[in-house]
Amino acid sequence: MSTAFNRRTSGGADLSLLRAGSVGGLKPRSNLTRETQLSLQLRSAIYGTGCYVPERVLDNAELERMVETDDQWIVERTGISERRIAAPDETTSTMAITAGRQACADAGLDPAELDLIIVATITPDHLTPASSCLVQQALGAKRAAAFDLSAACTGFLYASTVATGMITSGMYERVLVIGSETLSRFTDYTDRNTCILFGDGAGAAVFGPRRDGTGILYTKIYADGEYADLLRIYGGGSKQPPSLASLAARDHYLHVAGRQVFKFATNVFVQMIEEALDACGMTQDDVALVIPHQVNARIIDAAVRRLGLPTEKCFINIDRYGNTSSASVPIALDEARRQGKLNPGDVAILLGFGSGLTWGATVLKM
Ligand code: UT7
């Protein structure tokens, strides 16, 4: 994985190849082995990661005092012991700024050099302007284009797939992708079905070009709007603008059809791993770590059992953070790296699934 961004991209080699139009992979040359061709292919790679979670901890004991629930039920049914809650002055953009700054520092990149910032979120500071523009301003990333992307718990996978397309097409070289959510502002703390699940936080990664056989080997994103009702916040949008009636109906809170989502998530988890391994010509033995969206420890356990995947190959931190939607995969990725569970040359599979419905998988060689 990354040494400093500028060291990896210095020398102009990538740039000259990009400008000569050799993007998206070199044309096969008969005198090169397949391995050499693959190692020369232009890929999008992660150069640095970062994350931020608020200080305030909301544990199960405190939830027991808020709704009719108990620690044992929550731990057994979800694996969650505590989650983080944003302070009153914290927002999706402030958490994104901290995580993004950390990812740039890890990449050895001055944010002023960024070409693009994508913030994946379903809980932006405002309907407009985009949270990514607030991040751009705070980071001093004056050259960067910026937009928000809404794909719920698959947000980081969607945003990094877009970043990968931008990088391998030669359009951009330095892309900051952030997943950030303040779900506590859209959680109904009188509803025991949902309030136990969610937490706040942000995770980030800097993507750039690489031609050494590492980077994103495969990425695929999916959607099925037929099941749009399963996970929803309908109040406050243009169809149902904020009103006393929508507030009274608690429509501005997140509603979840838990059992249906449970089945969906378990199934796509298994399918996506099988498809990704097949597409990359790999087996589970080639994979160092699977980093799934932290939706529910039971969903993850069920999928891991069906796949016959050793449990130590699946990263879990839901016990400490709950479900942070688009932030969950990049927070887990950053923690896995910092804990030494992902090292240069290791292959990781990142998985997301959530509202939309949306889902996606990325195979990444560090
Ligand atoms: O990232 C995407 C967003 N996340 C999701 O969509 C969540 C996915 N689904 C899940 O994680 C699980 O379905 C839940 C954790 C939400 C629920 O677990 P479950 O095993 O599917 O429980 P259930 O909904 O079938 O409910 C079982 C019982 C019900 O009581 P009855 O009807 O059997 O008497 C619930 O009322 O558990 C009750 N219950 C609770 N009891 C104590 C529901 N929430 C709680 C609670 N504490 N917090």
Side-chain angles (χ1 to χ4, degrees):
M1 154 94 195
S2 61
T3 55
F5 191 98
N6 287 326
R7 260 179 275 144
R8 283 283 186 134
T9 55
S10 64
D14 277 319
L15 270 178
S16 62
L17 283 162
L18 289 174
R19 288 184 186 131
S22 310
V23 293
L26 294 176
K27 295 219 165 56
R29 278 194 244 141
S30 54
N31 57 339
L32 297 180
T33 63
R34 181 171 151 72
E35 284 68 32
T36 311
Q37 285 170 27
L38 284 175
S39 73
L40 290 174
Q41 190 172 323
L42 175 66
R43 291 215 171 86
S44 160
I46 290 183
Y47 281 82
T49 58
C51 77
Y52 173 80
V53 291
E55 260 178 50
R56 158 104 162 85
V57 173
L58 172 60
D59 64 16
N60 292 348
E62 192 174 345
L63 280 168
E64 283 178 2
R65 298 192 288 275
M66 295 161 70
V67 288
E68 200 186 326
T69 190
D70 59 83
D71 175 58
Q72 191 186 345
W73 191 97
I74 301 173
V75 171
E76 281 177 9
R77 298 289 179 128
T78 71
I80 304 169
S81 296
E82 56 187 48
R83 61 295 283 144
R84 300 300 180 97
I85 304 296
D89 61 345
E90 286 182 312
T91 64
T92 291
S93 72
T94 66
M95 294 189 290
I97 290 160
T98 307
R101 196 172 276 135
Q102 210 184 89
C104 288
D106 188 40
L109 178 72
D110 180 344
E113 295 179 66
L114 285 168
D115 298 315
L116 174 67
I117 298 170
I118 310 175
V119 174
T121 186
I122 53 165
T123 55
D125 290 27
H126 318 287
L127 283 180
T128 194
S131 296
S132 54
C133 292
L134 307 179
V135 173
Q136 188 245 25
Q137 193 274 334
L139 293 182
K142 285 288 179 204
R143 307 176 46 224
F147 65 89
D148 288 3
L149 184 153
S150 174
C153 307
T154 322
F156 185 77
L157 280 292
Y158 263 70
S160 46
T161 301
V162 172
T164 294
M166 298 286 201
I167 287 165
T168 55
S169 72
M171 182 175 271
Y172 291 128
E173 285 206 310
R174 296 160 164 85
V175 183
L176 175 60
V177 174
I178 305 173
S180 184
E181 302 286 4
T182 323
L183 289 161
S184 60
R185 308 261 158 84
F186 299 87
T187 298
D188 183 350
Y189 287 100
T190 66
D191 174 12
R192 71 176 183 172
N193 291 295
T194 53
C195 72
I196 56 157
L197 297 173
F198 300 107
D200 300 333
V206 172
F207 288 78
R210 184 87 61 77
R211 278 188 197 275
D212 62 0
T214 66
I216 290 185
L217 309 180
Y218 164 95
T219 190
K220 196 152 181 192
I221 47 178
Y222 308 78
D224 190 347
E226 193 181 333
Y227 302 99
D229 276 345
L230 295 187
L231 287 147
R232 62 184 193 277
I233 304 172
Y234 282 164
S238 60
K239 184 167 179 182
Q240 205 179 321
S243 66
L244 290 177
S246 78
L247 286 176
R250 310 187 86 72
D251 284 338
H252 50 296
Y253 289 126
L254 191 47
H255 292 266
V256 173
R259 283 182 211 179
Q260 285 104 311
V261 176
F262 194 107
K263 270 193 213 147
F264 152 75
T266 314
N267 288 338
V268 294
F269 188 127
V270 173
Q271 273 166 27
M272 285 194 295
I273 295 263
E274 288 174 348
E275 270 181 33
L277 289 176
D278 191 42
C280 294
M282 289 180 176
T283 69
Q284 286 179 15
D285 294 342
D286 299 310
V287 177
L289 199 63
V290 173
I291 301 183
H293 166 49
Q294 305 291 305
V295 53
N296 178 323
R298 265 196 311 144
I299 292 176
I300 297 172
D301 285 348
V304 161
R305 246 180 289 117
R306 260 163 68 181
L307 286 160
L309 190 74
T311 46
E312 65 277 9
K313 279 200 180 188
C314 188
F315 190 85
I316 295 197
N317 62 8
I318 192 171
D319 49 322
R320 290 175 292 126
Y321 303 136
N323 177 347
T324 58
S325 192
S326 71
S328 94
V329 170
I331 291 174
L333 174 64
D334 186 55
E335 288 201 336
R337 283 192 57 225
R338 286 174 206 281
Q339 291 170 13
K341 291 184 175 157
L342 267 185
N343 296 299
D346 282 349
V347 171
I349 303 185
L350 316 184
L351 296 176
F353 20 80
S355 173
L357 294 172
T358 56
W359 61 108
T362 294
V363 180
L364 174 67
K365 186 164 185 179
M366 303 300 287

